[in-house]
Amino acid sequence: MTTERAPESYLRLMPKVELHCHLEGSVPAATAVALARRNGTELPTMDPDTLYRFDDLEGFLDIYRAVSRAMVSAADFATVTYDSLVDAARTSNLRYREMAFNPTNHPGVPLADMLTGISEGIQSAERDCGVVGRIIVAFNREQPPELATELVRMVADADSPHVLGVGLDHNELSGPPQLFVDAYAIARAAGLARTAHAGERGNVAEVADTIGLLDVDRIDHGYAVLQSADLIRQSIDRGLHYAACWSTSAFHERGGQVSSPIAAMAAAGLDVSVSSDDPPFFATDIGSEYVQAGESIGWDRVQARQQVLRTAAATFLPPAERAALCARLAAEFDAYDET
Ligand code: ADE
Ligand code: ZN
């Protein structure tokens, strides 16, 4: 096999895995407007061409929450899930994705309806495109932590076969990890895997607290880890995985000191992957995320394949299913490399 850099076309169409993609952040603007009209909810604008315009994380989250409120029925959840998985499979050869969603951002919608709809979308997408989707139920850290403990108990009782873990989302400038210790302990006791957004906006103490207090298996983003050699060493020793996102990190780091945090994280020896986060909001898709990462870091084909397989190894699937996914991907890469 060659050690030349993998061309863009290779990166775009190789089999892919992603671990950090928000269901509500995957709604195309035109779909969000159609859902809001049908369900009688409000958006900042009904113009799909300008709906996803914002200047900072706070502005983004305002729109994200409005789009979330437009999703109210099981059928809405099924459609959004199906469309997003199938689109990523067709345009970027996505084979596996863990999707976070925020139940408490859909006031009045029963958890059972949301889980039923998402599961239906997952099953239909796998049937039509062979792409596998799984769910992470995410807490909104800007809301009272009691909502998170109540939610995690309901999720544990629901025992959905597609829910693999829990996450902690939204503005890390409010809702520190300390508030969610109970919710994470309940998740752990229920056998749910654990991730959390941390260090997206430069707060290294938040990364340390998330690791120390929430006993997470993964961190979402985590760029601030680069500020601490000690925390980098600790992360490597624990086998902690960082599910990072190229486009959103570039957006949030704009004006900051670090121009390419993911490349620096990889260079530091961290186990880091690349995901699309909120693709239509940031005009990206998982193919573009891998292309940007691969071209910036300079992957050859072998390194690109290793990157995907390392990402598959960090999924929250039960061990036998994870091993089967890795084997399937290796076979798909063999076939892909022969074409
Ligand atoms: N929810 C959806 N996308 C997010 C992001 N990039 N950071 C925090 N919370 C989010
Ligand atoms: Zn995210």
Side-chain angles (χ1 to χ4, degrees):
M1 219 174 266
T2 171
T3 54
E4 281 168 28
R5 290 190 170 197
E8 178 182 343
S9 57
Y10 182 90
L11 296 170
R12 177 157 283 284
L13 290 177
M14 68 184 181
K16 291 184 187 68
V17 171
E18 71 171 333
L19 306 177
H20 180 167
C21 179
H22 299 267
L23 180 69
E24 298 93 333
S26 304
V27 184
T31 306
V33 169
L35 286 170
R37 279 199 208 290
R38 196 170 71 216
N39 294 323
T41 65
E42 284 187 10
L43 293 174
T45 168
M46 286 299 196
D47 174 8
D49 293 337
T50 56
L51 178 61
Y52 290 163
R53 285 200 191 149
F54 45 85
D55 294 324
D56 50 26
L57 184 72
E58 286 79 4
F60 156 72
L61 287 172
D62 285 344
I63 304 165
Y64 180 97
R65 281 185 286 257
V67 171
S68 302
R69 285 192 295 274
M71 297 166 60
V72 301
S73 69
D76 296 342
F77 282 82
T79 303
V80 166
T81 303
Y82 177 86
D83 288 354
S84 161
L85 284 168
V86 167
D87 181 66
R90 294 204 171 126
T91 61
S92 308
N93 200 10
L94 182 72
R95 311 303 298 139
Y96 178 87
R97 173 194 279 167
E98 285 171 14
M99 281 174 301
F101 91 107
N102 301 99
T104 59
N105 286 354
H106 305 267
V109 184
L111 179 66
D113 287 6
M114 297 187 255
L115 291 176
T116 301
I118 298 172
S119 287
E120 203 179 298
I122 284 175
Q123 284 164 326
S124 307
E126 183 168 355
R127 182 198 61 216
D128 292 352
C129 287
V131 59
V132 174
R134 291 292 181 266
I135 306 169
I136 293 172
V137 173
F139 312 130
N140 178 344
R141 68 196 316 154
E142 297 167 34
Q143 294 172 335
E146 293 73 29
L147 277 187
T149 46
E150 190 189 339
L151 175 60
V152 70
R153 288 201 176 98
M154 287 165 68
V155 170
D157 285 348
D159 199 22
S160 158
H162 292 131
V163 174
L164 300 182
V166 298
L168 184 61
D169 291 4
H170 301 346
N171 195 341
E172 69 188 64
L173 302 183
S174 59
Q178 284 83 343
L179 296 179
F180 297 91
V181 168
D182 287 350
Y184 273 71
I186 295 167
R188 188 174 197 278
L192 292 162
R194 296 158 313 280
T195 185
H197 284 55
E200 183 179 11
R201 310 181 83 185
N203 187 349
V204 67
E206 207 221 352
V207 180
D209 288 344
T210 300
I211 296 170
L213 298 173
L214 302 186
D215 190 24
V216 287
D217 309 286
R218 296 199 310 240
I219 297 267
D220 291 320
H221 299 299
Y223 316 117
V225 71
L226 288 169
Q227 296 168 29
S228 164
D230 210 40
L231 211 49
I232 291 174
R233 170 66 26 222
Q234 210 184 307
S235 300
I236 293 170
D237 289 348
R238 290 173 74 121
L240 194 65
H241 183 88
Y242 285 80
C245 307
W246 200 274
S247 295
T248 52
S249 68
F251 177 81
H252 296 304
E253 298 273 346
R254 205 165 48 195
Q257 348 62 330
V258 188
S259 60
S260 180
I262 298 179
M265 288 163 86
L270 290 162
D271 183 19
V272 59
S273 59
V274 65
S275 292
S276 61
D277 212 356
D278 306 287
F281 281 78
F282 292 89
T284 188
D285 59 25
I286 188 58
S288 305
E289 295 295 298
Y290 269 89
V291 167
Q292 290 179 85
E295 291 188 338
S296 303
I297 299 172
W299 294 334
D300 61 27
R301 291 176 192 221
V302 176
Q303 289 167 325
R305 172 194 183 118
Q306 286 167 345
Q307 177 67 39
V308 175
L309 290 176
R310 262 202 315 277
T311 308
T315 63
F316 286 161
L317 285 168
E321 288 180 47
R322 193 186 311 134
L325 173 67
C326 290
R328 213 160 56 234
L329 286 163
E332 288 181 17
F333 264 102
D334 286 347
Y336 184 58
D337 283 332
E338 273 168 23
T339 57

